[in-house]
Amino acid sequence: MINLILGNPKDVHVIHLTKGLKEANSTVVHLNTRLLPIQLKASWESETEKSYLVLADGYKLNIESIHSIFLRRISDPYIPALGNPRKEQIALDDSTTTLRVILKSSPAFWVNPWDISYRIHEEKPLQLSNAKKLGIKVPATLTTNDPEQVIKFAESKERVIFKPVCGGAWTQFITDFHLEPKRLSLALKMSPVTFQEYIPGTNIRTYLIDESVYSAEVKSDSVDFRQDKTSQLIPVNLPEHIRQQSLDIAKNFGLLWTAIDWRLDPTGEYVFLEANSNPLFLYFERQTGFPVTQELVKLLTKPR
């Protein structure tokens, strides 16, 4: 049984999952997509309907032989400098498309599927819309590059936070400094931003692996607990209706593996913030003792 992990083999999460899969008697192959096209060879042909990759160490991986694919990270192929931005973009597009065609031609079981994983990650405002349609409470949110809308939104809420639309930076409280007209206008000319009402209360993180659900309270005073290296995770049992909402979110989003962030407000109501399609999990597992790696291995090695 071959299990393919997409990601850098030096990534600590990749190393940890590899160890778990090997202990389950699986063959693990790593694919660092950054190495295409210089160190990786990729081929697809219509007559035989076969495709394969030749990895940096010379190992020839027949795509049809892969049992499951775990998507840790897909990096853009590295294109050498060609002295022409247009040619470099064409080379990048060709390499990315070839990789996509080959991997998507595989009958392997994905955790999580390429298209779904990146769509969910990149279109976070739509997560809120979909969750709301499921009857799940979400915070008031505005994604815009219109300064007038930002001012209006900020004035209508007691406290407001802001963060990137897609991700990549920390969540912060909005202040008068950020709302200064010239500064705000300049910032929003660079890109739209997501603004959100601040929900006082407690952070709850919920991991789902197939039908298994594990949750913990994140004890932190930081507005973005990812910045807090002293944060603590305390295992908690979700109310049954929130556990079911977690399963509903994962199913609606097409995710078999996800981490959902909730805010438990002072009234005891859970507010959905976002679902991560490619979450870090080692810290959570070590702090709580929940068998996340074991569950992932079970999911990836399940007979199909």
Side-chain angles (χ1 to χ4, degrees), residues 2 4 27 29-31 39-45 48 50-66 102:
I2 295 178
L4 177 65
T27 299
V29 176
H30 301 119
L31 177 59
Q39 297 183 59
L40 292 177
K41 296 182 180 69
S43 297
W44 175 90
E45 57 181 78
T48 61
K50 292 185 181 296
S51 52
Y52 65 86
L53 295 165
V54 179
L55 307 184
D57 61 1
Y59 178 81
K60 184 175 181 178
L61 176 64
N62 291 312
I63 298 303
E64 295 78 9
S65 67
I66 302 171
I102 289 175

Side-chain angles (χ1 to χ4, degrees), residues 47-291:
E47 289 186 333
T48 61
E49 294 188 358
K50 292 185 181 296
S51 52
Y52 65 86
L53 295 165
V54 179
L55 307 184
D57 61 1
Y59 178 81
K60 184 175 181 178
L61 176 64
N62 291 312
I63 298 303
E64 295 78 9
S65 67
I66 302 171
H67 177 77
S68 66
I69 300 174
F70 181 80
L71 198 167
R72 172 72 188 109
R73 177 165 289 115
I74 296 178
S75 301
D76 285 340
Y78 174 73
I79 305 302
L82 302 176
N84 184 315
R86 184 173 179 277
K87 289 183 179 180
E88 291 171 7
Q89 185 61 53
I90 291 173
L92 176 60
D93 291 343
D94 285 348
S95 292
T96 302
T97 300
T98 299
L99 181 67
R100 183 184 291 269
V101 166
I102 289 175
L103 290 178
K104 290 181 70 174
S105 71
S106 169
F109 173 73
W110 282 74
V111 179
N112 286 298
W114 184 339
D115 289 344
I116 291 175
S117 184
Y118 279 83
R119 175 176 55 80
I120 290 297
H121 173 73
E122 294 174 354
E123 299 175 355
K124 290 183 178 178
L126 289 183
Q127 290 190 18
L128 299 175
S129 178
N130 290 346
K132 189 175 180 180
K133 290 174 183 175
L134 293 172
I136 297 167
K137 185 174 182 180
V138 302
T141 303
L142 170 69
T143 296
T144 186
N145 67 333
D146 184 338
E148 290 185 9
Q149 291 297 314
V150 176
I151 298 296
K152 182 179 178 181
F153 185 80
E155 289 176 346
S156 70
K157 310 299 175 188
E158 187 171 340
R159 296 193 82 179
V160 172
I161 58 174
F162 67 96
K163 54 188 176 181
V165 179
C166 181
W170 307 119
T171 299
Q172 301 179 57
F173 280 113
I174 198 165
T175 66
D176 290 340
F177 173 79
H178 300 108
L179 294 174
E180 192 277 321
K182 288 185 179 180
R183 179 177 299 278
L184 181 62
S185 178
L186 180 61
L188 295 179
K189 284 180 179 178
M190 297 180 189
S191 72
V193 175
T194 290
F195 300 88
Q196 200 167 69
E197 67 170 325
Y198 173 69
I199 308 295
T202 303
N203 292 305
I204 303 291
R205 171 156 276 208
T206 297
Y207 281 78
L208 289 92
I209 312 100
D210 202 6
E211 294 295 316
S212 298
V213 181
Y214 302 104
S215 296
E217 174 186 341
V218 185
K219 296 192 77 68
S220 172
D221 294 327
S222 176
V223 65
D224 191 325
F225 66 79
R226 295 172 300 172
Q227 289 181 282
D228 186 358
K229 294 182 179 180
T230 65
S231 65
Q232 293 181 304
L233 291 161
I234 302 172
V236 297
N237 292 318
L238 293 178
E240 182 55 36
H241 72 286
I242 299 300
R243 182 182 184 279
Q244 186 57 54
Q245 285 185 353
S246 300
L247 292 168
D248 291 344
I249 288 169
K251 182 178 180 180
N252 181 270
F253 291 6
L255 301 173
L256 287 167
W257 156 240
T258 184
I260 295 175
D261 289 327
W262 303 92
R263 192 74 168 165
L264 178 58
D265 72 19
T267 70
E269 192 164 20
Y270 283 75
V271 182
F272 170 76
L273 300 180
E274 66 177 72
N276 190 325
S277 62
N278 183 22
L280 303 178
F281 61 91
L282 285 183
Y283 184 73
F284 179 88
E285 182 175 66
R286 289 166 179 167
Q287 285 258 320
T288 64
F290 289 137

